[in-house]
Amino acid sequence: MSYDSTRASLAYAERGIPKLRQELASDQLITRQKALVTLSDLMHDAERVHEAVRTGCLQQIIQLLQDTDETVRFLSVTVLNSIVQYTVGREAFLKQEGLPILTTLFNDNSEKIKLQAFVAMNELSNLNYFAREIAASGLAMVLVENHLTKISGDVAGESLTVVLIALEILQKLLFISEEVQVQVEKDVNNNKNSDENSEVQESDSKDSKDNKDSEDKTAKLQDINLKNIYLKDYIYNISITQKYKFS
């Protein structure tokens, strides 16, 4: 009888993922590293990703993004990149509040870790639903102020790739912001039309509340417009400055 390594791997995954969850929380550095290497081989299947979410492996991986060991951080964000390829992984990652922790890796001392963090964020922002969550976190301004305004003239290699991915993420977030802008405009117009067509005399307090809601939405719209202009100007200036390197 021949040995089927694929079947053996799947069988191990069914029995072993709960055990890997324990190993990810181990105090032994080598144990955490080995568990992450094993997971990186398993997280290429939706069922395995679902199992990782169910058993708490994803939650532990999110925590390991902050590990003091560089190798553990790199392996963790690499595994995360595989997990967020799947909807169940994306949803669980955002639900478990992994976004703020992932963004801390944008400032990691290791360019490889930083790059993988941007790759993961880029993957998360591919779908509009998740991009809205990311945009709501204020990431667009963070990208501009912390990563796109301090580009040196000799940026190259992984650093250049980080800049390019940051621009790609920013473009997606701006697109989502424009969708929000359109929706806010519709809401403001609907409120105005509702006021004009209303035949019922409303109380002073109700009028005051409606006016306040309309003012809040108008202020939100103005804020979105200003931020979009600001961000688009930066994208244009960066692209012009770096046009030879970006080509």
Side-chain angles (χ1 to χ4, degrees):
M1 179 182 294
S2 62
Y3 175 74
D4 190 331
S5 60
T6 301
R7 288 179 179 273
S9 177
L10 293 176
Y12 173 79
E14 293 175 357
R15 300 190 306 270
I17 287 182
K19 184 174 186 296
L20 288 172
R21 165 64 179 84
Q22 298 176 355
E23 294 175 352
L24 290 172
S26 172
D27 292 335
Q28 298 296 317
L29 175 59
I30 189 64
T31 301
R32 299 198 302 276
Q33 291 176 346
K34 286 182 176 179
L36 286 166
V37 170
T38 302
L39 274 175
S40 68
D41 291 333
L42 296 174
M43 296 298 103
H44 299 288
D45 177 88
E47 291 184 10
R48 302 284 79 78
V49 171
H50 187 277
E51 183 71 5
V53 171
R54 187 187 67 80
T55 58
C57 279
L58 175 58
Q59 185 178 28
Q60 192 61 42
I61 288 169
I62 291 172
Q63 296 305 313
L64 290 178
L65 294 174
Q66 305 174 96
D67 199 276
T68 56
D69 181 69
E70 183 176 311
T71 300
V72 169
R73 294 199 307 278
F74 177 74
L75 290 171
S76 297
V77 73
T78 301
V79 173
L80 180 64
N81 274 328
S82 297
I83 291 175
V84 298
Q85 301 286 326
Y86 301 90
T87 300
V88 63
R90 295 189 189 100
E91 290 178 345
F93 178 74
L94 292 178
K95 186 179 295 185
Q96 295 178 22
E97 299 182 350
L99 198 61
I101 297 176
L102 178 61
T103 56
T104 63
L105 295 186
F106 287 177
N107 299 310
D108 200 277
N109 293 328
S110 167
E111 281 300 315
K112 290 183 178 180
I113 293 175
K114 186 185 300 183
L115 175 58
Q116 290 300 314
F118 273 96
V119 169
M121 188 66 73
N122 194 31
E123 181 63 36
L124 283 165
S125 62
N126 275 335
L127 297 180
N128 288 353
Y129 171 79
F130 301 104
R132 290 188 189 96
E133 294 286 328
I134 296 170
S137 72
L139 180 64
M141 297 302 294
V142 172
L143 289 175
V144 170
E145 294 174 355
N146 296 347
H147 303 284
L148 296 176
T149 60
K150 305 173 183 178
I151 304 174
S152 62
D154 59 349
V155 62
E158 291 177 338
S159 296
L160 176 58
T161 304
V162 165
V163 171
L164 292 171
I165 295 176
L167 284 169
E168 188 175 345
I169 296 170
L170 186 56
Q171 181 184 26
K172 296 171 185 175
L173 299 186
L174 286 175
F175 175 77
I176 291 299
S177 295
E178 288 173 355
E179 280 192 343
V180 173
Q181 174 183 333
V182 170
Q183 185 59 49
V184 171
E185 288 175 339
K186 287 181 179 178
D187 289 345
V188 171
N189 289 333
N190 287 339
N191 279 349
K192 289 181 179 178
N193 292 336
S194 177
D195 289 341
E196 291 173 358
N197 296 331
S198 177
E199 297 178 358
V200 180
Q201 183 66 36
E202 299 178 350
S203 65
D204 291 342
S205 61
K206 183 65 167 60
D207 286 338
S208 176
K209 182 178 184 301
D210 286 345
N211 289 337
K212 180 65 166 57
D213 289 343
S214 181
E215 289 173 1
D216 288 344
K217 289 178 179 178
T218 301
K220 182 179 180 182
L221 176 60
Q222 291 173 343
D223 183 54
I224 291 172
N225 280 329
L226 287 173
K227 286 183 177 179
N228 281 358
I229 292 171
Y230 176 60
L231 294 173
K232 286 175 181 176
D233 283 345
Y234 265 116
I235 290 176
Y236 174 77
N237 291 332
I238 291 168
S239 299
I240 292 299
T241 303
Q242 302 291 333
K243 62 180 179 179
Y244 297 111
K245 291 182 179 295
F246 284 9
S247 60

